[in-house]
Amino acid sequence: MKTIKSLDDLAINGANPAFSEPLHVGHPFVGDRKVFLGYVDEILDNNWLTNNGPMVMALEKQVAEHHDVKHCVAMCSGTVALEIAIRALKLEGEVIVPSFTFIATAHALHWQAIKPVFADISPDTHNLDPDSVRRMISDRTTGIIGVHLWGRTAPIEELQAIADEHNLKLLFDSAHAFGCTHNGIKVGNFGACEVLSFHATKFFQTLEGGAVLTNDDSLADTLRLMRNFGFSGFDNVIHPGTNGKMNEMSAAMGLTNLQYLETRIEHNQNVYHHYLHALSNIPCIKLLEYDDKETNNYQYIVIEISEDCKVSRDRLVEVLRAENILARRYFWPCCHRMRPYKSMLPAQSCSLEQSEIISDRVVVLPSGVAVDKEMIDTIVTAIAVLIKDSQ
Ligand SMILES: *Cc1c(COP(=O)(O)O)cnc(C)c1O
């Protein structure tokens, strides 16, 4: 790897890039290929490819156990799991969501003719600000979707209190929070239900996939009906439904990857601590910290560039990309600044100040299996040289 000592050593100024292969945020993790292919043979031998097959059932059981929750209902994606959960909870009218989230949180509502009403976030946590949520409640509000952003849990107790007070349903988009805890309790146990994403780039992946976690037996029954066209046994449809089923190949990928959770958390935690230490002397950069007293998956290394920094956020991303470090702006612009929400909610932006500020400052750095300590040192040196020499 090249050494970066001054601005002249940066690829943006004509030097060779630090990495010959691109370093991604959310590099997919795939466990032992032989184990996966063994499962694939089993699936093909059984000729049971989908429709609640043995792999899906085994995956649901293990994911539910891992989260200490009664039910895991696996689905074909996190977005479809959100859509089905929203429908099973009979949400309508308006539902409050953060704007600083992946667009799927808002789309899952809009897709079902429910209006997402965007609330602001707390700048220290990037999670929903309960005061802002309160301000967004109207007589059409039926629910709140909290997002455990970066795997760090939303203000669950405050949101539950608001939901109870106004008779609203509360669910969580826990797409980032596989295996994470809140006061030692695993996600999946909060609100009416919680939705996981198993997309290829997430901490735990099944190619495409997702699940709803809940302790509510009757909600779980409804979710199972709805993901399978409302079929209750052969020839008997008792509920409106869609096709939200997970297939056996995806479940096989999941069963393969479940064996690595602990080693991956350990690796991610080391990566996080190494970044934390290496970035600590660089002016203008703040790494969003994890609470080591909780269980986290440490999947996201999130930095904020301070407002007074001589280097803009977009310049930093551009410089890193030239090095093949594919750092990313995240949730930029926020949901309310993208179509269709931009034109639907013209008056709202004034009250989403923190979301706009944070989405203009955040950069997510490569993490996970793709990086080691030496690579982190190179990434951080590139950032340090750029910022220090530009002061
Ligand atoms: C990934 C993600 C989703 C969507 O999950 P898919 O499995 O990709 O459909 C929803 N919300 C958040 C916050 C996400 O990061």
Side-chain angles (χ1 to χ4, degrees):
M1 237 174 304
K2 70 175 179 182
T3 39
I4 303 172
K5 291 220 168 78
S6 74
L7 290 175
D8 291 340
D9 301 321
L10 294 174
I12 198 125
N13 295 325
N16 288 329
F19 299 95
S20 52
E21 299 287 326
L23 272 186
H24 291 276
V25 169
H27 182 92
F29 171 83
V30 178
D32 191 325
R33 191 182 289 222
K34 284 210 192 73
V35 172
F36 174 64
L37 294 176
Y39 286 134
V40 171
D41 277 336
E42 212 177 308
I43 293 166
L44 297 177
D45 289 345
N46 287 342
N47 203 27
W48 191 345
L49 307 182
T50 185
N51 286 4
N52 209 29
M55 300 278 169
V56 164
M57 287 192 276
L59 181 74
E60 287 183 336
K61 186 163 178 285
Q62 290 189 40
V63 170
E65 277 169 13
H66 185 73
H67 291 85
D68 306 316
V69 67
K70 258 171 113 175
H71 303 281
C72 167
V73 184
M75 307 260 187
C76 58
S77 75
T79 305
V80 168
L82 265 175
E83 288 169 2
I84 292 179
I86 287 164
R87 230 182 167 89
L89 292 170
K90 299 195 169 67
L91 298 183
E92 57 181 7
E94 296 180 358
V95 170
I96 298 170
V97 290
S99 175
F100 190 63
T101 178
F102 184 54
I103 197 74
T105 321
H107 277 356
L109 292 163
H110 181 60
W111 199 247
Q112 318 192 62
I114 299 167
K115 183 175 172 185
V117 173
F118 297 111
D120 210 358
I121 52 170
S122 308
D124 321 336
T125 64
H126 296 185
N127 273 320
L128 270 180
D129 170 7
D131 291 332
S132 174
V133 171
R134 277 182 195 281
R135 286 197 293 274
M136 298 303 170
I137 293 173
S138 79
D139 52 12
R140 293 174 300 282
T141 311
T142 59
I144 303 168
I145 304 182
V147 179
H148 301 314
L149 208 73
W150 318 125
R152 299 147 89 255
T153 53
I156 293 174
E157 287 78 16
E158 289 90 334
L159 294 177
Q160 189 64 60
I162 297 171
D164 292 346
E165 196 179 315
H166 295 270
N167 202 15
L168 307 174
K169 298 270 172 53
L170 173 66
L171 70 152
F172 292 99
D173 177 340
S174 312
H176 293 179
F178 188 100
C180 298
T181 62
H182 178 77
N183 295 330
I185 298 171
K186 287 266 172 73
V187 302
N189 291 285
F190 302 103
C193 62
E194 303 202 44
V195 175
L196 299 173
S197 164
F198 305 151
H199 181 256
T201 59
K202 298 282 157 66
F203 172 71
F204 171 76
Q205 64 95 9
T206 64
L207 311 174
E208 290 274 5
V212 184
L213 303 180
T214 185
N215 287 311
D216 180 333
D217 298 340
S218 103
L219 179 62
D221 286 346
T222 308
L223 293 165
R224 289 182 190 283
L225 281 173
M226 291 178 88
R227 77 169 171 187
N228 187 29
F229 312 103
F231 271 110
S232 167
F234 287 112
D235 306 328
N236 190 22
V237 170
I238 60 167
H239 206 284
T242 184
N243 184 353
K245 289 177 268 111
M246 176 182 275
N247 69 69
E248 289 289 280
M249 295 289 174
S250 284
M253 177 56 80
L255 289 172
T256 308
N257 292 342
L258 272 179
Q259 306 311 314
Y260 299 85
L261 298 177
E262 269 171 42
T263 49
R264 298 210 34 241
I265 289 178
E266 199 180 303
H267 175 82
N268 281 357
Q269 190 172 16
N270 288 337
V271 164
Y272 159 71
H273 281 290
H274 199 72
Y275 266 119
L276 187 64
H277 176 74
L279 286 164
S280 62
N281 305 321
I282 303 179
C284 313
I285 300 281
K286 184 180 109 185
L287 176 65
L288 204 67
E289 295 194 29
Y290 287 96
D291 179 353
D292 282 327
K293 291 195 292 299
E294 300 285 359
T295 305
N296 299 292
N297 58 39
Y298 300 92
Q299 177 78 350
Y300 297 97
I301 301 296
V302 182
I303 59 170
E304 279 174 39
I305 320 292
S306 65
E307 200 184 356
D308 55 6
C309 190
K310 292 277 194 304
V311 178
S312 74
R313 188 271 304 265
D314 292 353
R315 176 71 179 162
L316 174 63
V317 169
E318 191 187 4
V319 166
L320 292 177
R321 289 194 154 244
E323 304 294 346
N324 252 333
I325 303 162
L326 304 189
R328 292 197 42 198
R329 302 182 288 197
Y330 250 72
F331 312 130
W332 180 89
C334 340
C335 295
H336 74 280
R337 287 163 134 188
M338 287 201 263
R339 268 179 290 205
Y341 310 109
K342 194 161 93 175
S343 54
M344 285 166 57
L345 311 156
Q348 266 217 339
S349 53
C350 55
S351 52
L352 297 169
E353 194 187 351
Q354 296 306 328
S355 304
E356 296 190 357
I357 292 174
I358 296 296
S359 83
D360 283 344
R361 288 190 193 156
V362 158
V363 176
V364 179
L365 297 174
S367 59
V369 276
V371 299
D372 60 25
K373 287 185 177 170
E374 197 193 349
M375 292 160 121
I376 294 170
D377 288 337
T378 303
I379 296 168
V380 172
T381 308
I383 298 174
V385 164
L386 176 69
I387 288 181
K388 286 183 180 151
D389 288 6
S390 307
Q391 290 297 307

